[in-house]
Amino acid sequence: MGMRVRSGMLKAGGLVLLVAGWAVGAGAQTAHGVQGAQVSQVAQAAQGAQAGATSGTASRHSAVAARPHVAATRPVTAATPPMGWNSWNYFAGKVTDKDIRDTADLLVSSGMRDAGYVYVNIDDTWEGERDANGKIQSNEKFPNMKALADYVHSKGLKLGIYSSPGAKTCARFEGSLGHEEQDAATYAEWGIDYLKYDLCSYSGAMRAQFPNDPAAQNKMMREAYEKMHQAIGKTGRPMVYSLCQYGWDSVWEWGPQVGANLWRTTGDISANFDRMSAIGRGQAGLAKYAGPGHWNDPDMLEVGNGKLTLDENMTHMTLWAMLAAPLIAGNNLTEMKPEIAAILMNKEAIAIDQDTLGRQGDRVFADGPVEIWAKPLKNAAGHKSAALAIFNFGETASEMRGIGLHLKEAGLPAHVTARDVWAAKNLGRIGDDYKVTVPRHGVVLLVVR
Ligand code: GAL
């Protein structure tokens, strides 16, 4: 069904999107060329407006025209996909203040912070009651949110929190409905740097308000997300704004217009290969919606969770890096094995994800369970550069019999200089006849130029 919605959308807005896509790419490149990752906030807003299918031509033009004059202002929030950790995938409803402090300590001592994982995000179940003035309190698991934020900040990390536009969160704790400005102000006062805003009970409110009218329901949803965007803006504190509404209503088309730095594109991930890989593969076609400041979010990492094998964990990390996905780890750092740490902290895989060109990769070839994905990277020494991932989602080792690297489909020359990321090996010059063996549920990840 997802695919049908997407191709319909393409037909409806093909030309506009094509033009907007070019403008976004060009803008990002120019800004990076001038000042590294520091793209101006106004340019980001311009990109956001451009990425939306419904934005008018006039606003696109004025935004583009405005860009050169504002290039040296504030840095973009989430210029590259956010990296950090979130409590939900492992701790779920049991997370406590101590878990967050332990995680902060371990992000530092494991080297993860220095590898880029800087956001420590508390997911659902921190919420307490509202006081007599309507101000949200944390519950007994989190005795003092301000003190916790100070602790996390003292470690050179940032703190994220979670709420819902509905009256109740998904775990049936207090949501922000009717208290948006007050909650955003409270988060700012505590020192929060990141908000995940999860639709949850608000979908019931939408259906109750507009039964049998999906268009009106969706409008109501967008307005709720815009309301919190405005509320965050009023605080004056930069916060990464993370939408979680499971990819409904082609959120990638309008997410940037409601200030989203990232938006979930799917329902929940779980720590098993089938679910993880189905989500990852299902992102094909969404690349054009991602860029500096606004990213598709195929959900948080399950690397190190459940019974994922080493190959499956590498496939997971590779897929997310190829997708320029937010890298939000979700494992229990108090029991992280060295081989899991090595996957999460593989510098070259992270560099692919965080490449400042900000282009999401896409599938360029599929033959049954074998898929090849390519992600354009910033030019290296004047050469076109890209990451190429050869996946085997099947049940037996593939020797890629008869299947070349499909360099042409990836927009690459017939011969490239390649490096195998997971093998940490330079391969020299290779062409389409290069043969790889890809284990069951495994991947070979190349950086080529
Ligand atoms: C779900 C969301 C999960 C998690 C959970 C908390 O809706 O997709 O990522 O946040 O709610 O209750």
Side-chain angles (χ1 to χ4, degrees):
M1 193 202 112
M3 290 306 273
R4 242 187 298 138
V5 172
R6 275 172 220 165
S7 57
M9 166 203 71
L10 272 177
K11 263 178 226 148
L15 187 61
V16 172
L17 286 170
L18 194 66
V19 173
W22 172 81
V24 168
Q29 234 169 326
T30 308
H32 287 312
V34 172
Q35 43 175 350
Q38 307 271 299
V39 187
S40 81
Q41 200 79 32
V42 179
Q44 177 198 6
Q47 289 169 8
Q50 288 161 11
T54 53
S55 64
T57 312
S59 73
R60 269 205 306 282
H61 285 171
S62 56
V64 171
R67 193 177 292 131
H69 305 293
V70 295
T73 54
R74 282 190 287 157
V76 165
T77 303
T80 60
M83 289 179 67
W85 179 94
N86 173 293
S87 58
W88 187 256
N89 283 356
Y90 183 87
F91 292 95
K94 294 203 176 82
V95 64
T96 64
D97 176 282
K98 180 174 186 308
D99 295 325
I100 298 298
R101 285 171 192 256
D102 288 350
T103 300
D105 294 347
L106 285 158
L107 283 169
V108 177
S109 61
S110 67
M112 282 181 73
R113 178 197 64 187
D114 293 344
Y117 295 88
V118 294
Y119 289 98
V120 187
N121 294 346
I122 309 168
D123 208 277
D124 204 355
T125 78
W126 64 267
E127 310 88 341
E129 304 291 312
R130 294 186 180 277
D131 72 9
N133 299 319
K135 185 176 176 181
I136 188 78
Q137 312 291 306
S138 49
N139 62 36
E140 61 290 348
K141 296 193 295 157
F142 291 89
N144 186 335
M145 213 44 112
K146 172 92 176 77
L148 179 56
D150 289 347
Y151 184 79
V152 168
H153 291 152
S154 77
K155 301 272 161 184
L157 296 161
K158 293 165 186 274
L159 188 64
I161 212 161
Y162 166 102
S163 190
S164 169
K168 293 287 171 204
T169 66
C170 291
R172 310 222 44 83
F173 285 70
E174 190 70 17
S176 291
L177 184 66
H179 294 273
E180 294 82 1
E181 281 196 16
Q182 198 177 18
D183 285 0
T186 302
Y187 304 153
E189 179 195 316
W190 287 342
I192 297 296
D193 307 293
Y194 186 122
L195 173 67
K196 173 173 166 184
Y197 208 42
D198 193 352
L199 192 66
C200 302
S201 65
Y202 201 69
S203 65
M206 284 152 42
R207 280 193 297 271
Q209 183 93 23
F210 298 108
N212 308 317
D213 189 348
Q217 291 170 16
N218 287 335
K219 182 164 176 283
M220 187 172 156
M221 171 172 59
R222 295 180 200 197
E223 285 165 359
Y225 278 105
E226 174 59 12
K227 193 174 227 177
M228 186 50 97
H229 170 223
Q230 295 293 334
I232 292 170
K234 276 201 184 147
T235 70
R237 185 178 176 87
M239 289 182 215
V240 172
Y241 189 33
S242 161
L243 268 54
C244 179
Q245 45 79 280
Y246 336 114
W248 291 356
D249 191 30
S250 306
V251 60
W252 37 87
E253 286 189 337
W254 52 268
Q257 292 168 359
V258 298
N261 299 115
L262 60 156
W263 48 84
R264 279 271 296 276
T265 54
T266 73
D268 288 16
I269 196 168
S270 54
N272 71 71
F273 185 75
D274 288 351
R275 179 65 182 148
M276 178 280 290
S277 58
I279 287 181
R281 297 166 90 177
Q283 305 303 298
L286 294 183
K288 57 182 160 302
Y289 301 102
H294 52 98
W295 308 101
N296 290 304
D297 173 14
D299 207 356
M300 305 168 294
L301 294 169
E302 293 281 14
V303 173
N305 282 342
K307 295 197 168 78
L308 293 174
T309 65
L310 267 194
D311 279 323
E312 292 172 345
N313 278 308
M314 280 188 274
T315 292
H316 186 4
M317 184 74 185
T318 302
L319 257 175
W320 264 235
M322 294 299 287
L323 293 168
L327 296 179
I328 308 292
N331 55 328
N332 181 357
L333 300 188
T334 68
E335 53 188 41
M336 178 162 63
K337 299 208 170 81
E339 59 273 25
I340 296 301
I343 291 173
L344 285 171
M345 282 188 273
N346 183 292
K347 283 199 165 63
E348 295 171 68
I350 291 174
I352 292 169
D353 180 82
Q354 295 288 302
D355 183 78
T356 53
L357 188 57
R359 296 273 303 276
Q360 178 172 329
D362 217 332
R363 183 164 50 212
V364 295
F365 173 82
D367 184 9
V370 175
E371 292 188 12
I372 302 179
W373 287 61
K375 179 186 197 287
L377 301 175
K378 217 174 153 199
N379 288 354
H383 291 279
K384 208 167 185 177
S385 178
L388 207 61
I390 303 106
F391 295 100
N392 175 9
F393 295 107
E395 297 305 317
T396 55
S398 152
E399 287 172 16
M400 305 276 299
R401 280 181 212 89
I403 299 175
L405 291 179
H406 289 265
L407 297 170
K408 193 168 168 216
E409 287 88 331
L412 291 161
H415 288 88
V416 291
T417 303
R419 177 168 169 86
D420 184 325
V421 168
W422 293 115
K425 215 171 114 191
N426 292 328
L427 303 177
R429 297 281 288 169
I430 59 170
D432 256 350
D433 55 351
Y434 181 73
K435 291 279 176 283
V436 290
T437 303
V438 189
R440 166 189 183 267
H441 294 184
V443 65
V444 169
L445 174 59
L446 306 178
V447 171
V448 304
R449 67 176 172 84

